[in-house]
Amino acid sequence: MIYGDKNLGVIVQNITGKQGTFHTELMNAYAREVGGRGVVAGVAPGKAGREVHGVPVYNTVREALREHDATASVVFVPAGAAGDAVMEAAHAGIELAVVITEHIPVHDAMSAIAYAKLHDCTVIGPNCPGLLSPGECKLGIMPAHLARRGNVGVVSRSGTLTYEVVDELTRAGIGQSTVVGIGGDPVIGQTFVDVLARFEEDPQTKAVVVIGEVGGNLEEEGVRSTDLPVVTYIAGVSAPPEKRMGHAGAIIEGGEGDARSKVRRLRALNIPVASRPSEIPGLIREVV
Amino acid sequence: MKLLEYEAKRVFAEYGIPVPKGVVIRAPEEVAAHLPDLGDGVVLKAQVDVGGRGKAGGVLMADRATAAETARELFSREIKGVPVREILAEERLPIEHEYYVSIAVDRSSRQPVVLFADAGGVEIEKMAEEDESAVRRVVVSPLLRDIPPFLMRELLGGAPKELAPVINSLYHVFQGKDAMLAEINPLVTTARGVYAADAKLIIDDNALARQGITVNRDLSEREREAEKHGFSYVELDGTIGVIGNGAGLTMSTLDLIEFYNGRAANFLDVGGGADQERVMHAVKLVASMPGVNVIVVNLLGGITRCDEVAKGIIAAGVAPTVIVRMAGTNEEEGRRLLAECGYRMLESMDAAVKAAMEVAE
């Protein structure tokens, strides 16, 4: 596993919001199932003293950490205030912030990620489904029942496509070491390079599925940076140019970063590229 | 959203960047009234949102005598298929040298990146391809208010120091206006000083609200309607409607249709956490497009709950044409609800797409 295990203490920022409340319950159900610690405290300014599914709520991250032992935060704070929430967490000593929120202005993301770095806080996301190490811990919104413990790492820019690939792997009898959704925005805290470096140091991980999409060239940077066996899938080969396909990151910018040329460049590096998600398990068996 | 040149120049001027004297005209006869201010030479620039406007005939030179006729000619043109409705008429600058400067979001370093070249007015990608050293680049910490002098020196190299304050102002535009890209090409020196002869500004769509911009011109009518409900929506030219949650999965569904030699009619991403009502609007919107005879709903519940989606599909009431594949959060409840109403459900996206292809043909 990478980023955390059973012993990880987690807080949820904006725990009283609809998604914060719902997913705190799911995260803690998973923690109970695997014998982990899960969400130990929540934060919602002005709502100290409440409880959400038995989890105590505090006004600030600092106050929560005074009473509870936690090193990670899952951020469900609305877009306009999410950058601030990440900085608050980093400032208070949180080491890992997983940002689920989508539609965060890119300048806020740049500032928050830079500020977090100054405080040695690792940011995953924004606009991501989070992190799941089957049998150990879940931070975020991934449907955990699709995953099985195993030796294949999954790292992805797209939330739902991650679940699709995890589902395919599990149904083919291939378990996962850790599944990381890094987010689809133009600026994200952990890129493929960062996550693959962690996988490389993880004795459990024998191969990695890299799931990318149109926009930028982060996939290529990632696979070039690692010695691990890698299988890739790139969504968006049918995407028309200059159209915004779904979210901020998924746009073809002036011919650069389109899916077809990405696939071409990856194949030129001798990296297996699946032409559809259902081909991934077969390709994994070939590289392991 | 990409601003038009004159809109971008207005913003640049607010931040103290010198721009040429100019005026926006909407009819050829308007140019005459402004000629005394603009001087002997004028540049007429079509205000259309297309790349490579100059090469496509969207920029014409004129003088006092020919200005009205040239404007009439430009108004009659289509630039890459876009009709010319507005023209920016500008004074022609006595240019000494042209430079290139742009500031963008660098995905790899997660910081603003400033690009500068000693030759402007040309396509920067080509310039960089031909000679890598022709384009200098520095990344700036987003926590800094200004481009620090040491980075500015690195950026400018031997170029005149007078460019520095203009480039720093452009950095302020980039930060203050939530820009994804702020570009001046060419940035020109004249005997009178430094000017932004052209201007390009793209604002982050996620920041339009706080920038006080309410209309996103980049969207078509139907896409705008979709945006009202919070969807990402793109129209294509096939027969299979596609609804998914999440950009990646929805695009992947589209790719799979292409893989099986089918043609998608459109693409609708309901986004994260879509509730019953949003899903209902999504199905109705996709179904309303002419030529759509089957809809594939490919849904993997995470933050989105399958039972909510099922209720939305049922509420839309277009039962026979919807093929559903759903898994994830509250999957069992969602599948139960749909089964009760007789919807066709398949286990995998491959199977769902294949089934849709059969209906489409």
Side-chain angles (χ1 to χ4, degrees):
Chain A
M1 71 226 75
I2 54 176
Y3 295 105
D5 57 20
K6 279 190 177 75
N7 300 317
L8 195 65
V10 180
I11 64 165
V12 166
Q13 289 175 263
N14 194 22
I15 193 168
T16 55
K18 188 179 162 200
Q19 302 297 356
T21 299
F22 182 72
H23 287 283
T24 293
E25 191 186 7
L26 289 185
M27 278 188 269
N28 276 347
Y30 194 71
R32 282 192 294 275
E33 197 183 313
V34 303
R37 292 181 61 217
V39 180
V40 296
V43 176
K47 292 178 180 167
R50 294 193 193 183
E51 279 197 356
V52 171
H53 298 298
V55 175
V57 179
Y58 298 85
N59 282 330
T60 67
V61 176
R62 200 185 285 275
E63 281 168 28
L65 294 188
R66 210 173 281 151
E67 304 294 327
H68 302 272
D69 173 25
T71 53
S73 171
V74 182
V75 179
F76 287 99
V77 174
D84 181 58
V86 172
M87 293 194 283
E88 182 192 349
H91 197 91
I94 286 289
E95 293 164 18
L96 175 68
V98 176
V99 188
I100 310 303
T101 312
E102 60 179 343
H103 300 306
I104 298 177
V106 76
H107 282 259
D108 291 7
M110 283 196 289
S111 299
I113 289 165
Y115 188 85
K117 200 172 177 185
L118 291 180
H119 291 265
D120 291 321
C121 172
T122 300
V123 178
I124 298 179
N127 189 13
C128 84
L131 171 73
L132 173 67
S133 288
E136 291 288 339
C137 66
K138 164 177 151 159
L139 281 77
I141 61 173
M142 288 192 203
H145 71 277
L146 298 175
R148 293 290 176 278
R149 189 178 191 138
N151 296 323
V152 172
V154 177
V155 54
S156 169
R157 278 173 61 194
S158 156
T160 44
L161 199 48
T162 314
Y163 318 154
E164 175 69 37
V165 172
V166 167
D167 192 34
E168 293 282 357
L169 288 171
T170 298
R171 284 194 285 125
I174 300 170
Q176 305 92 41
S177 54
T178 297
V179 181
V180 191
I182 56 175
D185 282 0
V187 167
I188 45 178
Q190 292 283 282
T191 63
F192 289 114
V193 171
D194 305 305
V195 180
L196 284 162
R198 300 237 186 185
F199 274 131
E200 215 163 81
E201 285 171 14
D202 175 30
Q204 198 192 339
T205 303
K206 306 294 181 215
V208 180
V209 182
V210 168
I211 305 162
E213 58 189 25
V214 292
N217 64 346
L218 295 177
E219 292 84 358
E220 200 182 329
E221 277 179 21
V223 302
R224 279 179 182 276
S225 73
T226 186
D227 291 328
L228 277 169
V230 168
V231 167
T232 63
Y233 170 73
I234 306 291
V237 291
S238 63
E242 303 291 335
K243 288 277 189 182
R244 198 168 294 275
M245 304 303 276
H247 55 60
I251 184 169
I252 304 171
E253 293 147 330
E256 193 209 323
D258 74 278
R260 271 180 226 281
S261 65
K262 267 186 201 202
V263 169
R264 239 187 342 263
R265 290 200 302 270
L266 289 168
R267 291 206 167 121
L269 295 169
N270 283 324
I271 302 292
V273 186
S275 56
R276 51 198 167 122
S278 55
E279 285 179 3
I280 291 171
L283 291 176
I284 278 288
R285 288 211 175 85
E286 283 173 27
V287 300
V288 177
Chain B
M1 188 184 85
K2 188 175 166 190
L3 300 190
L4 293 171
E5 179 189 355
Y6 75 87
E7 295 169 325
K9 278 183 169 161
R10 204 172 284 161
V11 174
F12 285 13
E14 279 169 30
Y15 279 75
I17 297 173
V19 297
K21 270 189 269 175
V23 62
V24 178
I25 57 169
R26 291 180 178 82
E29 44 279 5
E30 285 177 33
V31 76
H34 301 285
L35 282 176
D37 290 336
L38 298 178
D40 287 336
V42 288
V43 190
L44 299 170
K45 301 164 114 178
Q47 298 298 289
V48 287
D49 179 16
V50 301
R53 174 189 60 172
K55 271 188 189 160
V59 178
L60 300 177
M61 302 294 166
D63 55 34
R64 251 173 220 283
T66 60
E69 190 49 41
T70 310
R72 193 177 313 279
E73 159 66 19
L74 193 52
F75 272 117
S76 72
R77 283 188 188 175
E78 280 195 355
I79 312 300
K80 293 190 171 173
V82 181
V84 179
R85 298 213 166 83
E86 294 169 315
I87 289 173
L88 175 61
E90 275 187 345
E91 65 173 326
R92 224 189 301 169
L93 295 168
I95 294 170
E96 286 175 352
H97 193 88
E98 300 189 335
Y99 299 89
Y100 171 97
V101 62
S102 77
I103 307 174
V105 173
D106 182 49
R107 290 166 182 248
S108 298
S109 70
R110 310 132 171 124
Q111 298 180 93
V113 58
V114 189
L115 300 176
F116 180 86
D118 292 313
V122 293
E123 283 173 54
I124 194 74
E125 294 87 358
K126 252 185 213 155
M127 201 195 309
E129 232 170 68
E130 282 158 14
D131 177 11
E132 242 175 70
S133 65
V135 183
R136 289 187 285 278
R137 81 197 287 278
V138 298
V139 292
V140 184
S141 167
L143 302 176
L144 295 177
R145 193 186 295 234
D146 295 290
I147 301 174
F150 82 95
L151 280 182
M152 190 65 88
R153 288 196 296 273
E154 198 175 302
L155 189 72
L156 286 177
K161 288 183 182 64
E162 292 70 43
L163 299 175
V166 175
I167 294 172
N168 202 45
S169 295
L170 187 68
Y171 187 68
H172 295 157
V173 170
F174 181 75
Q175 291 207 317
K177 290 293 170 185
D178 276 303
M180 299 299 288
L181 175 76
E183 179 181 287
I184 305 174
N185 182 29
L187 171 67
V188 303
T189 49
T190 72
R192 283 158 34 196
V194 179
Y195 287 88
D198 198 355
K200 194 167 168 185
L201 190 58
I202 301 176
I203 309 289
D204 178 6
D205 282 350
N206 285 335
L208 291 179
R210 74 177 177 197
Q211 289 297 339
I213 300 169
T214 50
V215 177
N216 189 342
R217 191 175 34 230
D218 292 351
L219 302 179
S220 74
E221 280 304 309
R222 208 190 281 256
E223 284 170 331
R224 196 163 295 157
E225 177 66 23
E227 197 192 49
K228 240 187 257 168
H229 297 294
F231 308 136
S232 297
Y233 177 74
V234 176
E235 294 204 335
L236 305 158
D237 57 2
T239 52
I240 303 171
V242 177
I243 298 174
N245 65 325
L249 185 70
T250 317
M251 272 194 292
S252 182
T253 312
L254 226 63
D255 294 347
L256 202 56
I257 290 171
E258 192 181 273
F259 180 84
Y260 288 119
N261 296 317
R263 280 159 56 234
N266 48 22
F267 161 112
L268 191 151
D269 170 12
V270 291
D275 62 9
Q276 178 180 342
E277 183 151 337
R278 270 168 75 190
V279 173
M280 181 191 75
H281 286 300
V283 176
K284 283 187 170 170
L285 188 85
V286 167
S288 75
M289 186 169 163
V292 171
N293 52 18
V294 57
I295 297 171
V296 179
V297 178
N298 188 13
L299 192 107
L300 273 171
I303 206 158
T304 309
R305 304 174 205 177
C306 292
D307 55 332
E308 284 284 323
V309 174
K311 286 177 197 163
I313 293 170
I314 294 163
V318 283
T321 60
V322 183
I323 291 169
V324 184
R325 180 282 175 118
M326 61 167 55
T329 309
N330 293 6
E331 164 186 338
E332 279 157 34
E333 176 66 3
R335 293 176 70 92
R336 189 186 63 76
L337 290 168
L338 286 170
E340 274 175 10
C341 295
Y343 280 86
R344 194 162 169 208
M345 274 175 286
L346 291 149
E347 291 294 325
S348 70
M349 61 189 273
D350 281 75
V353 166
K354 277 187 198 163
M357 295 279 299
E358 281 163 25
V359 180
E361 278 161 12

